[in-house]
Amino acid sequence: MKIITQLNLFEDHELGDLEKILMVLDGLPETDCFDKLEAKRKHGRKDYTIQSYFIAYIAKIVLQLETNQQLIRQLNMNSQLRQICGFETHGVKSKNGMIKLVHAPSKSSYSRFIQDLKEVCPDIEEWVLSGVHELYGLLPDFGVNLALDGKFIDSYATPYGKQKKKKDQRADLDADIGIKQRHHTNGTVTKEKHYGFRCHLIVDTTYELPVAWKVTSASKGEPTIAKRLIRNLSQTMLEKGKYLMADKGYSGSSLQNLLEEAPIVSIIDNPHKWKEDDTRQYLDTDLIYNQTGEVFWVDDSGQAIQLRYKGYDSSSDSLRYGFHPKYQDSRIFRLKRCVEPIIFNRVARDSKKFKRLYKKRTAVERVNGRLDRDFRFETHTIRGLTKMSLAVAMSFLVMIGFALGKVKTGQKTHLASWVV
């Protein structure tokens, strides 16, 4: 009988799951979180170290396991995974005197570790940020182009937990309802209702990695949390950031003014609150403009001639417009941004540069997609804001650790991908 060899379904450059875990661990910066966790474990059995439990959590994320029970099952079946985590098989004497071999921690002991980990969640977030700052130092173009968005993380607990005053784990008393409006091309508006949480996220568009984030209940408004995120950016992030892209939900003078103080140029879509055919006169001149940012010169016969964007004048904080060469008119018009800052953006809305930069906003959507697909937030079983914040922070820790692991091996492309 011929032996049929197993076909290799993956390319040679595809990493195995255990290799991914090792690369994440190798890339993570130093931290004192383990000392704080060890201080919380004062009493009880200490069959395994805090580091072993933590590596097991990393393995749960990398292996895309949804529950703690699935992780414990994998640890009991996979000796190589236990070796990476540091779980050694040992004997435990039962009440009847028999010696039972134990390969991995029990579900209850792992759950107690998660409870301790929740209390040091801010330290985990600081750990991620230290890795982000390390990327700022290693990659010259990291953090130059940023994108901002909010992502709903739906909860599958009962939405009536608060009304019923349930205190058990079947209800989620921290989750609430958020509404998202979608404007369609035919002029209609639909509303989506989400029950759960929202992750407000700033990412680097070049490498598609997180820079700053905040997890809140679903009802928290995106512009409000966005301003808080920007205020909390470090000096390094503010100095290196050049452009920030966001959709029309973030349009507003308060957020734009905050960015300009940074100074970061906002590339935010205009919500188009005027009627489509409306135009406004620019001060007491022959110039008119629309909400798309297009500027026209009106001649004596009433004909509107569209002008071309000629660049930004920093000395007068104005946009320069002129005629197309075919009109043989060399006049330059300067439109002061203070007249209508939302429409007269520092990068003109009708320019090719604005359109090119705005396309980079899709990077944050791809990061949101990875959270759903690769980190299993579409089918999670997480309850509570603290636990959700921990899960998001740990996911970003894996992202940053894997990216740093690649950079340390000399790779500087596809840092957000699981392929090397």
Side-chain angles (χ1 to χ4, degrees), residues 110-392:
Y110 184 79
S111 297
R112 287 193 294 271
F113 165 75
I114 298 299
Q115 291 297 323
D116 292 339
L117 196 61
K118 283 167 55 179
E119 297 182 22
V120 297
C121 182
D123 297 284
I124 300 295
E125 294 173 352
E126 288 297 324
W127 192 3
V128 181
L129 291 176
S130 67
V132 171
H133 280 283
E134 194 169 330
L135 286 172
Y136 268 90
L138 294 172
L139 303 171
D141 54 346
F142 185 85
V144 174
N145 297 316
L146 304 172
L148 170 67
D149 198 10
K151 168 187 170 47
F152 284 111
I153 303 177
D154 293 328
S155 175
Y156 299 96
T158 170
Y160 307 104
K162 288 188 177 181
Q163 295 180 11
K164 293 184 178 181
K165 304 295 182 183
K166 291 181 179 178
K167 301 298 182 182
D168 57 19
Q169 294 183 353
R170 292 175 295 176
D172 195 334
L173 303 182
D174 295 330
D176 61 12
I177 295 175
I179 305 295
K180 184 177 183 65
Q181 290 188 349
R182 292 193 178 275
H183 299 264
H184 302 279
T185 54
N186 59 3
T188 60
V189 179
T190 58
K191 294 183 178 181
E192 294 179 0
K193 183 183 291 187
H194 294 267
Y195 173 76
F197 305 93
R198 184 180 292 189
C199 179
H200 308 263
L201 180 61
I202 298 177
V203 306
D204 171 81
T205 63
T206 304
Y207 298 97
E208 299 179 4
L209 291 170
V211 171
W213 74 96
K214 179 69 177 178
V215 180
T216 67
S217 54
S219 62
K220 298 295 183 182
E222 292 179 337
T224 303
I225 304 301
K227 287 183 282 188
R228 191 183 306 173
L229 285 175
I230 293 167
R231 290 191 185 99
N232 291 336
L233 292 178
S234 69
Q235 191 63 32
T236 301
M237 295 175 178
L238 294 174
E239 290 176 354
K240 201 169 183 181
K242 191 172 182 181
Y243 301 103
L244 185 139
M245 282 63 75
D247 60 28
K248 63 183 69 176
Y250 292 93
S251 179
S253 57
S254 58
L255 179 59
Q256 183 165 323
N257 292 337
L258 185 63
L259 287 171
E260 291 185 1
E261 290 174 5
I264 297 175
V265 179
S266 60
I267 307 294
I268 302 177
D269 194 14
N270 189 18
H272 288 202
K273 297 180 180 179
W274 309 353
K275 292 181 180 179
E276 288 299 325
D277 55 349
D278 274 2
T279 58
R280 293 180 180 179
Q281 182 183 13
Y282 175 74
L283 301 178
D284 189 17
T285 66
D286 294 328
L287 302 177
I288 60 174
Y289 60 94
N290 58 24
Q291 59 187 339
T292 309
E294 296 172 331
V295 179
F296 304 84
W297 180 73
V298 182
D299 62 15
D300 294 336
S301 63
Q303 181 183 0
I305 300 174
Q306 186 172 355
L307 301 179
R308 302 183 70 181
Y309 176 59
K310 298 292 185 178
Y312 171 68
D313 186 351
S314 59
S315 62
S316 59
D317 192 25
S318 59
L319 304 182
R320 300 168 64 250
Y321 281 88
F323 289 93
H324 190 278
K326 67 180 180 180
Y327 293 105
Q328 297 182 351
D329 193 328
S330 60
R331 283 181 294 173
I332 296 294
F333 304 95
R334 285 175 170 80
L335 282 71
K336 293 186 179 297
R337 294 189 56 245
C338 60
V339 173
E340 198 147 8
I342 296 297
I343 292 180
F344 298 143
N345 201 60
R346 283 177 63 184
V347 176
R349 294 186 176 278
D350 63 335
S351 65
K352 293 181 180 179
K353 183 177 182 180
F354 186 95
K355 295 178 177 64
R356 183 178 69 252
L357 288 170
Y358 188 73
K359 287 181 180 179
K360 296 178 181 290
R361 192 192 64 84
T362 56
V364 70
E365 296 176 353
R366 286 190 287 274
V367 175
N368 288 337
R370 291 188 186 101
L371 284 174
D372 281 338
R373 181 186 65 253
D374 299 337
F375 296 91
R376 313 300 292 173
F377 280 93
E378 268 186 337
T379 55
H380 70 88
T381 57
I382 302 168
R383 303 291 183 269
L385 180 59
T386 304
K387 206 168 183 179
M388 180 60 72
S389 299
L390 173 64
V392 172

Side-chain angles (χ1 to χ4, degrees), residues 67-105:
T67 64
N68 294 343
Q69 188 61 48
Q70 292 176 353
L71 173 64
I72 301 303
R73 188 182 302 116
Q74 282 290 328
L75 288 170
N76 280 301
M77 292 189 303
N78 193 331
S79 61
Q80 289 182 319
L81 180 60
R82 292 198 302 271
Q83 184 178 357
I84 290 176
C85 295
F87 295 129
E88 296 182 357
T89 301
H90 62 283
V92 176
K93 189 174 183 179
S94 59
K95 293 181 179 180
N96 59 9
M98 299 291 292
I99 301 296
K100 178 183 177 181
L101 290 180
V102 176
H103 303 291

